[in-house]
Amino acid sequence: MKLASVAASAPAFAGASFLVDFEHGWDYLSGDVDGYYSGGTAADGTSGANLGVAFINVSGLSNDPAFTPPYYSGAPSMLGTAYAHTFGADDRAFMNVAAGVDNALSFFYASPQSITGAVRAYSGVNGTGSLLGSFDLLANASNAYDAWTRVTFAFTGTARSFDWTGSANVVGLDNIQAIAAPVPEPSTVLLMLLGGAAVLRQATRRGKTG
């Protein structure tokens, strides 16, 4: 009975909650992230924690101290970063989230160029459904991707995909994060309804006696 009571009182959450930090030794030639964070595998055959997040045309990049000048310095998670890529005019780059992301996505980026429409949120997977919002990025780094800025992309609704095509071949990405919003417990909703009903009854009584 105690176990059932604890389970019933645990808060529920809407949308996905995850942090994709790209901390992995990515293969430079076969670096696509693919299903690494969704229960599948990356292009190099490895797999990570199943966060329900899958990528299309997004590659991981591992920091290498041998680079001169040092690339990706200052990244929030130093082992790996990522970037979207396209090789043809029809190529598109996506991040699909099975549980959906409600209203906001945060991430770090480094870019030597300002990008209009760097990322777009859609209600369906692979950029389908309704466009929920679009986010621009300002130039903040040199060509060595040596400065990283955290931003929050706010949109309206639940996004099941993010289109990174506008960022392709230019923007470095790291620590992509979504935090689920808590949903009121049934008991809390019931108390709110009862409280509202009590206020309504008092107002009705005052009207009759006034």
Side-chain angles (χ1 to χ4, degrees):
M1 292 298 293
K2 287 185 178 180
L3 181 60
S5 176
V6 170
S9 63
F13 292 87
S17 177
F18 60 81
L19 170 62
V20 176
D21 57 15
F22 302 106
E23 290 295 89
H24 176 64
W26 301 103
D27 185 310
Y28 184 76
L29 296 179
S30 299
D32 273 12
V33 182
D34 295 345
Y36 184 85
Y37 292 106
S38 63
T41 62
D44 63 5
T46 59
S47 60
N50 185 0
L51 305 179
V53 182
F55 293 86
I56 296 173
N57 287 339
V58 174
S59 281
L61 289 170
S62 294
N63 289 309
D64 187 342
F67 285 150
T68 304
Y71 283 81
Y72 322 125
S73 60
S77 53
M78 290 303 297
L79 177 60
T81 60
Y83 75 104
H85 61 77
T86 56
F87 299 110
D90 296 329
D91 284 350
R92 296 176 71 185
F94 297 105
M95 181 180 79
N96 291 317
V97 183
V101 176
D102 292 335
N103 302 317
L105 182 79
S106 75
F107 58 93
F108 283 81
Y109 82 96
S111 179
Q113 302 175 28
S114 294
I115 305 291
T116 300
V119 55
R120 292 181 168 88
Y122 288 89
S123 61
V125 299
N126 297 332
T128 60
S130 301
L131 175 64
L132 305 179
S134 179
F135 195 69
D136 303 335
L137 296 175
L138 297 176
N140 68 339
S142 74
N143 287 329
Y145 295 84
D146 50 3
W148 294 76
T149 304
R150 183 179 184 180
V151 293
T152 298
F153 172 22
F155 48 87
T156 302
T158 299
R160 287 182 169 76
S161 67
F162 296 87
D163 186 345
W164 298 96
T165 307
S167 304
N169 311 316
V170 176
V171 178
L173 301 168
D174 205 0
N175 283 28
I176 302 175
Q177 185 172 22
I179 301 175
V183 175
E185 298 175 16
S187 58
T188 303
V189 174
L190 179 60
L191 287 173
M192 292 171 62
L193 291 175
L194 291 174
V199 171
L200 181 60
R201 283 198 300 271
Q202 290 177 1
T204 302
R205 288 172 183 169
R206 288 171 185 165
K208 289 180 179 179
T209 58

CSV table of all heavy atoms in Angstrom, one decimal, residues 98-133:
chain,number,residue,atom,x,y,z
A,98,ALA,N,11.0,11.6,-29.8
A,98,ALA,CA,9.8,10.7,-29.7
A,98,ALA,C,8.7,11.3,-28.8
A,98,ALA,O,7.6,11.3,-29.2
A,98,ALA,CB,10.2,9.3,-29.3
A,99,ALA,N,9.1,11.7,-27.6
A,99,ALA,CA,8.2,12.2,-26.6
A,99,ALA,C,7.8,13.7,-26.9
A,99,ALA,O,6.8,14.2,-26.2
A,99,ALA,CB,8.7,12.1,-25.2
A,100,GLY,N,8.5,14.4,-27.7
A,100,GLY,CA,8.2,15.8,-28.0
A,100,GLY,C,8.8,16.7,-27.0
A,100,GLY,O,9.1,16.3,-25.9
A,101,VAL,N,9.0,17.9,-27.4
A,101,VAL,CA,9.6,19.0,-26.5
A,101,VAL,C,8.6,20.1,-26.4
A,101,VAL,O,8.1,20.6,-27.4
A,101,VAL,CB,10.9,19.5,-27.1
A,101,VAL,CG1,11.4,20.7,-26.2
A,101,VAL,CG2,12.0,18.4,-27.2
A,102,ASP,N,8.2,20.4,-25.2
A,102,ASP,CA,7.2,21.4,-24.9
A,102,ASP,C,7.8,22.8,-24.8
A,102,ASP,O,8.6,23.1,-23.8
A,102,ASP,CB,6.4,21.1,-23.7
A,102,ASP,CG,5.5,19.9,-23.8
A,102,ASP,OD1,5.2,19.6,-25.0
A,102,ASP,OD2,5.2,19.2,-22.8
A,103,ASN,N,7.5,23.7,-25.7
A,103,ASN,CA,7.7,25.1,-25.6
A,103,ASN,C,9.2,25.7,-25.7
A,103,ASN,O,9.3,26.8,-26.0
A,103,ASN,CB,7.0,25.7,-24.4
A,103,ASN,CG,5.6,25.3,-24.3
A,103,ASN,OD1,4.9,25.5,-25.4
A,103,ASN,ND2,5.1,24.9,-23.2
A,104,ALA,N,10.2,24.9,-25.4
A,104,ALA,CA,11.5,25.5,-25.3
A,104,ALA,C,12.6,24.4,-25.4
A,104,ALA,O,12.5,23.3,-24.9
A,104,ALA,CB,11.7,26.3,-24.1
A,105,LEU,N,13.7,24.8,-26.1
A,105,LEU,CA,14.9,23.9,-26.3
A,105,LEU,C,16.1,24.8,-26.0
A,105,LEU,O,16.2,25.9,-26.6
A,105,LEU,CB,14.9,23.3,-27.6
A,105,LEU,CG,16.1,22.3,-27.9
A,105,LEU,CD1,15.8,21.0,-27.3
A,105,LEU,CD2,16.3,22.2,-29.4
A,106,SER,N,17.0,24.4,-25.2
A,106,SER,CA,18.2,25.1,-25.0
A,106,SER,C,19.4,24.4,-25.6
A,106,SER,O,19.4,23.2,-25.6
A,106,SER,CB,18.5,25.4,-23.5
A,106,SER,OG,18.9,24.3,-22.8
A,107,PHE,N,20.4,25.1,-26.0
A,107,PHE,CA,21.6,24.5,-26.5
A,107,PHE,C,22.8,25.5,-26.5
A,107,PHE,O,22.6,26.7,-26.4
A,107,PHE,CB,21.4,24.0,-27.9
A,107,PHE,CG,20.9,25.0,-28.9
A,107,PHE,CD1,21.8,25.6,-29.8
A,107,PHE,CD2,19.6,25.2,-29.1
A,107,PHE,CE1,21.4,26.6,-30.7
A,107,PHE,CE2,19.1,26.2,-30.0
A,107,PHE,CZ,20.0,26.8,-30.8
A,108,PHE,N,24.0,25.0,-26.6
A,108,PHE,CA,25.2,25.9,-26.8
A,108,PHE,C,25.5,25.8,-28.3
A,108,PHE,O,25.4,24.8,-29.0
A,108,PHE,CB,26.3,25.3,-26.0
A,108,PHE,CG,26.3,25.7,-24.5
A,108,PHE,CD1,25.5,24.9,-23.7
A,108,PHE,CD2,27.0,26.7,-24.0
A,108,PHE,CE1,25.4,25.2,-22.3
A,108,PHE,CE2,26.9,27.0,-22.6
A,108,PHE,CZ,26.1,26.2,-21.8
A,109,TYR,N,26.0,26.9,-28.8
A,109,TYR,CA,26.5,27.0,-30.2
A,109,TYR,C,27.7,27.8,-30.3
A,109,TYR,O,28.0,28.7,-29.5
A,109,TYR,CB,25.4,27.5,-31.1
A,109,TYR,CG,25.3,29.0,-31.1
A,109,TYR,CD1,25.9,29.8,-32.1
A,109,TYR,CD2,24.6,29.7,-30.1
A,109,TYR,CE1,25.8,31.2,-32.2
A,109,TYR,CE2,24.5,31.1,-30.2
A,109,TYR,CZ,25.1,31.8,-31.2
A,109,TYR,OH,25.0,33.2,-31.2
A,110,ALA,N,28.5,27.6,-31.4
A,110,ALA,CA,29.6,28.4,-31.8
A,110,ALA,C,29.4,28.6,-33.3
A,110,ALA,O,29.2,27.6,-34.1
A,110,ALA,CB,30.9,27.7,-31.5
A,111,SER,N,29.6,29.8,-33.8
A,111,SER,CA,29.4,30.1,-35.2
A,111,SER,C,30.2,31.3,-35.6
A,111,SER,O,30.1,32.4,-35.0
A,111,SER,CB,27.9,30.3,-35.6
A,111,SER,OG,27.8,30.6,-36.9
A,112,PRO,N,31.0,31.2,-36.7
A,112,PRO,CA,31.7,32.4,-37.2
A,112,PRO,C,30.8,33.3,-38.1
A,112,PRO,O,31.2,34.4,-38.5
A,112,PRO,CB,32.8,31.8,-38.1
A,112,PRO,CG,32.2,30.4,-38.5
A,112,PRO,CD,31.4,30.0,-37.4
A,113,GLN,N,29.5,32.8,-38.3
A,113,GLN,CA,28.6,33.6,-39.1
A,113,GLN,C,27.2,33.7,-38.4
A,113,GLN,O,26.8,32.8,-37.7
A,113,GLN,CB,28.4,32.9,-40.5
A,113,GLN,CG,29.6,32.7,-41.3
A,113,GLN,CD,29.3,31.9,-42.6
A,113,GLN,OE1,28.1,32.0,-43.1
A,113,GLN,NE2,30.2,31.2,-43.1
A,114,SER,N,26.5,34.8,-38.7
A,114,SER,CA,25.1,34.9,-38.2
A,114,SER,C,24.3,34.1,-39.2
A,114,SER,O,24.5,34.1,-40.4
A,114,SER,CB,24.7,36.4,-38.2
A,114,SER,OG,25.4,37.1,-37.2
A,115,ILE,N,23.3,33.4,-38.6
A,115,ILE,CA,22.4,32.5,-39.4
A,115,ILE,C,21.0,32.9,-39.1
A,115,ILE,O,20.5,32.8,-38.0
A,115,ILE,CB,22.7,31.0,-39.1
A,115,ILE,CG1,24.1,30.7,-39.2
A,115,ILE,CG2,21.8,30.1,-39.9
A,115,ILE,CD1,24.7,30.7,-40.6
A,116,THR,N,20.2,33.2,-40.2
A,116,THR,CA,18.8,33.4,-40.1
A,116,THR,C,18.1,32.0,-40.3
A,116,THR,O,18.4,31.3,-41.2
A,116,THR,CB,18.3,34.3,-41.1
A,116,THR,OG1,18.9,35.6,-41.0
A,116,THR,CG2,16.8,34.5,-41.1
A,117,GLY,N,17.2,31.7,-39.4
A,117,GLY,CA,16.5,30.4,-39.5
A,117,GLY,C,17.4,29.2,-39.2
A,117,GLY,O,17.4,28.2,-39.8
A,118,ALA,N,18.3,29.4,-38.2
A,118,ALA,CA,19.3,28.4,-37.9
A,118,ALA,C,18.6,27.1,-37.4
A,118,ALA,O,19.1,26.0,-37.7
A,118,ALA,CB,20.2,28.9,-36.8
A,119,VAL,N,17.5,27.2,-36.7
A,119,VAL,CA,16.8,26.0,-36.3
A,119,VAL,C,15.3,26.3,-36.3
A,119,VAL,O,14.9,27.4,-35.9
A,119,VAL,CB,17.3,25.5,-34.9
A,119,VAL,CG1,17.2,26.6,-33.9
A,119,VAL,CG2,16.5,24.3,-34.4
A,120,ARG,N,14.5,25.3,-36.7
A,120,ARG,CA,13.1,25.5,-36.8
A,120,ARG,C,12.4,24.3,-36.0
A,120,ARG,O,12.9,23.1,-36.1
A,120,ARG,CB,12.6,25.5,-38.2
A,120,ARG,CG,13.0,26.8,-39.0
A,120,ARG,CD,12.5,26.8,-40.4
A,120,ARG,NE,12.6,28.1,-41.0
A,120,ARG,CZ,13.7,28.5,-41.7
A,120,ARG,NH1,14.7,27.7,-41.8
A,120,ARG,NH2,13.7,29.7,-42.2
A,121,ALA,N,11.4,24.5,-35.3
A,121,ALA,CA,10.6,23.5,-34.6
A,121,ALA,C,9.4,23.1,-35.3
A,121,ALA,O,8.6,24.0,-35.8
A,121,ALA,CB,10.3,24.0,-33.2
A,122,TYR,N,9.1,21.8,-35.4
A,122,TYR,CA,7.9,21.3,-36.1
A,122,TYR,C,7.1,20.3,-35.2
A,122,TYR,O,7.7,19.6,-34.4
A,122,TYR,CB,8.3,20.6,-37.4
A,122,TYR,CG,8.7,21.5,-38.5
A,122,TYR,CD1,10.1,21.9,-38.6
A,122,TYR,CD2,7.8,22.0,-39.4
A,122,TYR,CE1,10.5,22.7,-39.6
A,122,TYR,CE2,8.2,22.9,-40.4
A,122,TYR,CZ,9.6,23.2,-40.5
A,122,TYR,OH,10.0,24.1,-41.6
A,123,SER,N,5.8,20.3,-35.4
A,123,SER,CA,5.0,19.4,-34.6
A,123,SER,C,5.1,17.9,-35.0
A,123,SER,O,4.8,17.1,-34.2
A,123,SER,CB,3.5,19.8,-34.7
A,123,SER,OG,3.1,19.7,-36.1
A,124,GLY,N,5.6,17.6,-36.2
A,124,GLY,CA,5.8,16.3,-36.6
A,124,GLY,C,7.2,15.9,-36.8
A,124,GLY,O,8.1,16.8,-36.8
A,125,VAL,N,7.5,14.7,-37.0
A,125,VAL,CA,8.9,14.2,-37.2
A,125,VAL,C,9.4,14.7,-38.6
A,125,VAL,O,8.6,14.9,-39.5
A,125,VAL,CB,9.1,12.7,-37.0
A,125,VAL,CG1,8.7,12.3,-35.6
A,125,VAL,CG2,8.3,12.0,-38.1
A,126,ASN,N,10.7,14.8,-38.7
A,126,ASN,CA,11.4,15.1,-40.0
A,126,ASN,C,10.8,16.4,-40.6
A,126,ASN,O,10.6,16.4,-41.9
A,126,ASN,CB,11.3,13.9,-41.0
A,126,ASN,CG,12.0,12.7,-40.5
A,126,ASN,OD1,13.0,12.8,-39.7
A,126,ASN,ND2,11.5,11.5,-40.9
A,127,GLY,N,10.5,17.4,-39.8
A,127,GLY,CA,10.0,18.7,-40.4
A,127,GLY,C,8.7,18.6,-40.9
A,127,GLY,O,8.3,19.5,-41.8
A,128,THR,N,7.8,17.7,-40.5
A,128,THR,CA,6.4,17.6,-41.0
A,128,THR,C,5.5,18.3,-40.0
A,128,THR,O,5.9,18.7,-38.9
A,128,THR,CB,6.0,16.2,-41.2
A,128,THR,OG1,6.1,15.5,-39.9
A,128,THR,CG2,6.9,15.5,-42.2
A,129,GLY,N,4.2,18.4,-40.3
A,129,GLY,CA,3.3,19.1,-39.4
A,129,GLY,C,3.4,20.6,-39.5
A,129,GLY,O,3.8,21.2,-40.5
A,130,SER,N,3.0,21.2,-38.4
A,130,SER,CA,3.0,22.7,-38.3
A,130,SER,C,4.4,23.2,-37.9
A,130,SER,O,5.1,22.6,-37.0
A,130,SER,CB,2.0,23.1,-37.3
A,130,SER,OG,0.7,22.7,-37.6
A,131,LEU,N,4.7,24.4,-38.4
A,131,LEU,CA,5.9,25.1,-38.0
A,131,LEU,C,5.6,25.8,-36.7
A,131,LEU,O,4.7,26.7,-36.7
A,131,LEU,CB,6.4,26.1,-39.1
A,131,LEU,CG,7.5,27.0,-38.7
A,131,LEU,CD1,8.8,26.2,-38.5
A,131,LEU,CD2,7.7,28.1,-39.8
A,132,LEU,N,6.3,25.5,-35.6
A,132,LEU,CA,6.0,26.1,-34.3
A,132,LEU,C,6.9,27.3,-34.0
A,132,LEU,O,6.6,28.0,-33.1
A,132,LEU,CB,6.2,25.0,-33.2
A,132,LEU,CG,5.4,23.7,-33.4
A,132,LEU,CD1,5.7,22.7,-32.3
A,132,LEU,CD2,3.9,24.0,-33.5
A,133,GLY,N,8.0,27.4,-34.7
A,133,GLY,CA,8.9,28.6,-34.4
A,133,GLY,C,10.2,28.5,-35.2
A,133,GLY,O,10.5,27.4,-35.6
